[in-house]
Amino acid sequence: MRSDAIKKGAERAPHRSLFRATGLKDEDFKKPFIGIANSYNNIAPGHVHLNKIAEAVKAEIIKVGGVPLEFGVIGVCDGIAMGHEGMKYSLGSRELIADSVETMAKAHAFDALVLIPNCDKIIPGMLMGACRLDLPTIVISGGPMLVGKSDKGEALDYSLVYEAVGKFANGAINAKELHDIECKACPGPGSCSGMFTANSMNCLCETLGIALPGNGTIPAVYPERLDLARQAGRQILELVKKDIKIRDILQKEAFDNALAVDMALGCSTNSALHLPAIAYEAGLEITLHRINEVSEKVAHLCNLAPAGPDHLEDLNRAGGITAVMNELAKKNILTGNLLTVTGKTVAENYKDHPVQDYKVIAPIDKPHHAKGGLAALFGNIARDGSIVKQSAVAPEMMEHSGPARVFDSEEDAYEAITGGKIKKGDVVVIRYEGPKGGPGMREMLQPTASIAGMGLDKDVALITDGRFSGATRGAAIGHISPEAMAGGEIALIKEGDIIEINIPKKTLNVLVSTEELEKRRKAWHQPDPNIKTGYMARYAKLVTSANLGAVLQ
């Protein structure tokens, strides 16, 4: 066992002595040491219950002959970090998490890992660290939140609170109505209830084969969630016995499967950051061009919030991710013979799980959209690409031209939007918010939700070198690469320039001549960094472009 390095032989008596102080006995030193990476905290609703998940996992590991060794992992709540300086730290926390998992596993010679994340950057961060280690690994998330309900019985979720702020600013609702929405949108623990970033990544963990069926969709408060945790605790010992490591599962075809399910579900645009980053740590590559290739051939089957009315509990009731995969398999879209943590193949996992409700998971021959949820756009202000959740764009905004309204920070743009300074037809440009420029590539849910709340989501587009929450809807195009801080052409746009967006043709351009852009480039000067000390200052020096997954090099 790998853990023999810290527990076997006379020379390891000091190590065993320290472990004895934690409660280990003689018989424990003959068993596999299983690292439990737990992002429990009492800050984020997605994490407040993960201690219960961990206890279920640990109890089962002990029962089947392993030694669980739990350690904590930080977990930023993107919702609470949204709209202020805290959001600069969210994406950067992904790398800290990866480093923490790698460090703890190496320092303590774990034989395997159980990863217990639930939100946004924590999931990919843990996976990135695990890929570096290449140990037997399984993911068991905390599960999604149940949907909230208004007094009228209407579904509420976290993103609708932001839209309500826009409605309040526009005079469409009063303070009491806003307060009622605030109080009822998030009814309990779990990752926010729509197909936002956390749920996107938890669902894609199933598709990749590194989580058990149900991981992405079983609600946090259902007893089946704890059953799944116990099953994960048992299964990690099977992976140890068979020495099935994470890179044995995360093959190139597994990522293609994940992209296909991503397109069918209409996942968050953040998956276009995280899947390439995980692949990078696994020694593979996912490009924005590959995302377009998959999107062209995979239909959009699920009309999930924020694009539609359904939520994760609806998807779970309709059969979950295995049902989506079963439907996709009818067109031979998936590679079915790949290994998964169940010990079965991908195809064996989904074959007996047909769709239970075709209102939630559309038939493959009658999809919501013929093409997938995401699209990468290229052009003279996005030479290396950009990303849009096309399934959440109104039909009338799939092609749009309008004057640029240019802002060098999210705060300035938000003030203009809520102040009524953005008009129908405008294209809001928010720059210097990329991985280097932010630094940290802030999510722009506040301005995009305000545009929707102001009733402008079918008339106004927004482009940025920052990124969006999975809760964003509308013609919101992010990840523009190269970013402004790196001298990308988005830095050269001037107020009033005409921006031309054509999502069907995958293009994004400013209607300015090459000669004029070069003239502007010669006059451009890189601004001073927004953060000059601490972790994010170091992060800004090492982080790569969004089209590469914003990994550190």
Side-chain angles (χ1 to χ4, degrees), residues 472-495:
T472 291
R473 63 184 175 95
I477 301 162
H479 303 200
I480 290 179
S481 303
E483 63 173 290
M485 196 67 167
E489 283 76 6
I490 189 174
L492 310 179
I493 297 172
K494 291 186 176 181
E495 185 84 7

Side-chain angles (χ1 to χ4, degrees), residues 441-495:
M441 204 180 179
R442 287 193 286 183
E443 287 186 350
M444 302 290 165
L445 178 58
Q446 192 162 264
T448 57
S450 296
I451 287 172
M454 299 284 282
L456 294 172
D457 55 304
K458 296 181 180 179
D459 300 288
V460 170
L462 187 151
I463 70 172
T464 180
D465 54 6
R467 60 192 176 89
F468 298 114
S469 164
T472 291
R473 63 184 175 95
I477 301 162
H479 303 200
I480 290 179
S481 303
E483 63 173 290
M485 196 67 167
E489 283 76 6
I490 189 174
L492 310 179
I493 297 172
K494 291 186 176 181
E495 185 84 7

